[in-house]
Amino acid sequence: MSSYLELTARERIARLFDGDSFVEFLPPSARIVSPHLGQLDAPVSFDDGVIVGRALLAGEPVFAAAQEGGFMGGAVGEVHGAKLVGLLKRAVIEKIGAVVLLLETGGVRLHEANAGLIAVSEVMRAVLDARAAGVAVITLAGGSNGVFGGMGIVARCTNAIVMSEEGRLAMSGPEVIETAGGVEEFDSRDRALVWRTTGGKHRYLLGDCQAVVADSVEAFRQAAIDTVAAFRGQTTALSLQDLEQEQAMLGERIERFGAMSEPLDIWAALGVARPEAIPMLDAADFMAAVASHQLGGR
Amino acid sequence: MDWKALAGALFPRGHAITEEDNFLSGSAQAGEQTIAVVGTTGHAPIGVEIALAQARFVLETVREHPGRPILMLVDTQGQRLRHRDEMLGINSYMAHLGKCVELARRQGHKVIALVYDQALSGGFITSGLMADACYALPDATIRVMGLPAMARITKVPEERLVELAASNPVFAPGPENYLRMGGVQEIWSGDLTAQLQQALDASNGGDLRGVLGQARGGRKLAQRVIDAIVSGSDVLAP
């Protein structure tokens, strides 16, 4: 078993997909870098922190993108965002069955603030365009930087999310909230609280992700294969009915849990027998223990 | 600008917009058309409740008034920074709002946005930036963060950022810079009624912000990178 969390984006791509099947679009040899970082004397990367291309997944052609958390936290700038948009547009043109997004990101790259913000919204619309065209878009979230900021919104625009417990999914990072609201609002050094609040298990119980897997590249690969297969021949587009259901689920969430301040209380309210034991369970035991307690789904 | 004064200037033929806890919703008369209006005021921090209220209004419009144009009025200080909102999954509420706006567009609703006061980071992504076209008033504040905060995080001296901001719109706040980058379609001044009408009449050609950003010189690489990937080239167009 090799940890997914500890791998680089390129290692994840190499091990998640079949053999040497990955073919990169606009690879580092094209030497396309951010036009803004140089002016700030910040380092650049020849892939601008994201790798995009085509691959085979259990023999099935898919498109894939992987964000590199080691370069500026996987944050989205002008080129980085455009690579994701280009990939999604090409997926539509080539009528590819699925796009698998290996997200690891702090959101908008503050060095390219305005361009990054627009880019994230372009990625959002490109994801939904792809879905409307019949392309299933799937998110894997298991990187050490989590999936934050505008990309946390993008992830929830995709058809499905697979997380490890260690992968986090949220909007504003704990440090940002602590800076704005004080340590009483969110103690970013309380790692257990951070994981209870933003980690895969909590997201699964609330219905924000579809599966929690172990932190291994094999587990993520199998989950990606299963999720892509589950969408074969299925509708991927938004529908009024699905969004009405989501509206009801999100409303129910506020009604039932809006007055709570501790994820453990939410898990108890969902009927989980021993909520305090949840953080200790491995992914398989967790899924078995809580399958009937998940809120709504999407 | 006060939302009531704005509504008066936009809708001389009348409107029925109401405010509740910084959430704006209702209908208005734009020329011969009735349009749906949704938005926020008071520099609202967008938390789970207000995002869900906006989404509910958009879904109701799709269900009960098929094809009715939707105007989003934007005034937000960004997403609400609370542990509770993160615990409840605020990103899901934001995404849900964005998906509802997208559904409306796909069902034939024209969706336009107007930044009439503030548009900051997360609150802007699922409102103005999800519209077919986003417009702004000249005095609007649009940004991810101010230059002092940006200087702290990027470790680049603020004076240097101010200097760079004069030539590169990526660093500097304001509607002019978002216009150059294609994020804002046009800046409205003068006769707001006429400009609203023009926006409602404009055709919807998809997400053209990359093309606009390139044509206006604010984002020189985005569209070229997209085009290179789509065409299977490893070389950017000149």
Side-chain angles (χ1 to χ4, degrees):
Chain A
M1 297 261 283
S2 55
S3 165
Y4 180 96
L5 185 90
E6 290 167 8
L7 297 182
T8 65
R10 286 187 184 280
E11 288 168 341
R12 285 176 193 151
I13 289 269
R15 298 193 199 176
L16 200 97
F17 298 98
D18 299 357
D20 292 325
S21 68
F22 184 71
V23 178
E24 187 168 354
F25 304 153
L26 223 56
S29 56
R31 295 252 186 284
I32 311 299
V33 301
S34 160
H36 310 295
L37 294 176
Q39 287 176 291
L40 301 175
D41 300 318
V44 296
S45 167
F46 288 126
D47 58 22
D48 204 44
V50 66
I51 300 140
V52 301
R54 71 164 74 248
L56 294 176
L57 180 64
E60 171 127 357
V62 296
F63 277 9
Q67 294 180 300
E68 175 50 61
F71 181 67
M72 310 200 90
V76 179
E78 177 171 342
V79 169
H80 184 120
K83 286 176 78 172
L84 291 169
V85 172
L87 181 80
L88 290 157
K89 284 184 185 292
R90 186 163 164 180
V92 171
I93 292 166
E94 296 194 14
K95 299 190 183 344
I96 203 86
V99 177
V100 184
L101 302 176
L102 285 59
L103 301 186
E104 176 172 0
T105 176
V108 172
R109 186 184 293 168
L110 294 172
H111 302 71
E112 307 185 29
N114 300 340
L117 191 70
I118 297 171
V120 167
S121 73
E122 287 169 332
V123 174
M124 230 176 121
R125 285 191 59 182
V127 164
L128 297 173
D129 282 346
R131 286 183 53 176
V135 179
V137 187
I138 289 150
T139 297
L140 307 183
S144 59
N145 289 283
V147 178
F148 281 94
M151 289 303 289
I153 302 176
V154 168
R156 287 291 278 122
C157 288
T158 65
N159 286 100
I161 303 176
V162 175
M163 296 181 73
S164 60
E165 179 180 18
E166 295 83 352
R168 288 160 293 145
L169 174 65
M171 183 132 188
S172 307
E175 293 82 3
V176 173
I177 295 176
E178 184 181 317
T179 302
V183 70
E184 306 78 20
E185 179 61 40
F186 199 169
D187 182 354
S188 67
R189 285 189 298 179
D190 184 343
R191 302 319 285 174
L193 175 66
V194 170
W195 255 265
R196 284 202 302 278
T197 303
T198 64
K201 288 175 177 170
H202 181 57
R203 292 300 176 225
Y204 179 80
L205 283 165
L206 282 188
D208 280 347
C209 81
Q210 282 62 49
V212 174
V213 299
D215 169 36
S216 86
V217 70
E218 295 83 1
F220 271 103
R221 173 177 158 86
Q222 191 56 52
I225 292 169
D226 295 344
T227 310
V228 168
F231 279 100
R232 200 173 296 134
Q234 299 296 309
T235 305
T236 53
L238 297 171
S239 75
L240 178 59
Q241 194 190 352
D242 288 350
L243 289 175
E244 298 271 20
Q245 271 177 19
E246 188 167 76
Q247 180 81 27
M249 176 189 83
L250 294 174
E252 183 192 345
R253 210 186 270 186
I254 296 176
E255 267 171 42
R256 290 179 62 185
F257 315 129
M260 297 178 178
S261 57
E262 166 56 63
L264 282 169
D265 296 340
I266 295 180
W267 305 347
L270 282 167
V272 174
R274 291 181 55 232
E276 70 284 354
I278 287 291
M280 305 305 293
L281 298 179
D282 71 25
D285 290 346
F286 167 77
M287 290 291 279
V290 305
S292 58
H293 300 297
Q294 190 192 21
L295 186 73
R298 79 170 56 185
Chain B
M1 188 187 225
D2 173 66
W3 76 264
K4 285 180 182 159
L6 173 75
L10 284 171
F11 311 116
R13 298 174 70 166
H15 71 82
I17 305 168
T18 57
E19 179 195 344
E20 195 183 343
D21 297 334
N22 289 348
F23 168 60
L24 301 177
S25 65
S27 61
Q29 202 60 32
E32 301 303 313
Q33 264 181 319
T34 301
I35 67 169
V37 182
V38 62
T40 55
T41 191
H43 310 335
I46 308 295
V48 295
E49 285 87 358
I50 209 164
L52 196 62
Q54 293 186 83
R56 180 182 301 115
F57 180 84
V58 173
L59 286 180
E60 278 169 8
T61 302
V62 170
R63 206 186 319 111
E64 289 160 28
H65 305 286
R68 180 179 277 189
I70 299 171
L71 171 65
M72 307 179 82
L73 295 178
V74 182
D75 178 22
T76 169
Q77 58 180 267
Q79 69 270 28
R80 189 158 65 189
L81 299 172
R82 297 277 305 279
H83 173 264
R84 168 183 176 270
D85 288 86
E86 294 300 335
M87 183 181 73
L88 293 173
I90 185 173
N91 60 308
S92 293
Y93 290 77
M94 297 279 199
H96 176 65
L97 171 57
K99 286 183 278 190
C100 291
V101 171
E102 182 68 26
L103 178 82
R105 178 190 353 269
R106 296 205 176 269
Q107 305 252 355
H109 296 256
K110 177 95 190 162
V111 185
I112 61 174
L114 175 63
V115 181
Y116 70 98
D117 202 316
Q118 277 194 9
L120 268 56
S121 68
F124 189 31
I125 285 188
T126 48
S127 56
L129 291 175
M130 275 306 282
D132 297 328
C134 181
Y135 301 87
L137 297 186
D139 295 334
T141 304
I142 310 182
R143 63 165 187 245
V144 175
M145 59 169 47
L147 290 182
M150 196 169 154
R152 256 198 325 277
I153 291 166
T154 60
K155 313 263 192 295
V156 176
E158 192 180 337
E159 309 79 66
R160 175 84 180 122
L161 284 178
V162 171
E163 189 187 318
L164 287 168
S167 61
N168 189 340
V170 78
F171 304 120
E176 286 288 345
N177 290 312
Y178 275 79
L179 181 83
R180 281 177 66 193
M181 290 185 300
V184 162
Q185 181 88 12
E186 238 176 83
I187 295 171
W188 288 356
S189 56
D191 185 350
L192 297 184
T193 307
Q195 280 161 320
L196 172 64
Q197 195 57 53
Q198 273 177 20
L200 289 170
D201 293 342
S203 64
N204 176 21
D207 190 348
L208 299 173
R209 292 173 291 180
V211 175
L212 284 176
Q214 187 180 350
R216 294 169 180 174
R219 281 190 297 159
K220 296 183 175 117
L221 284 191
Q223 189 60 41
R224 291 164 64 203
V225 165
I226 293 169
D227 291 342
I229 290 176
V230 165
S231 68
S233 163
D234 286 341
V235 182
L236 301 191

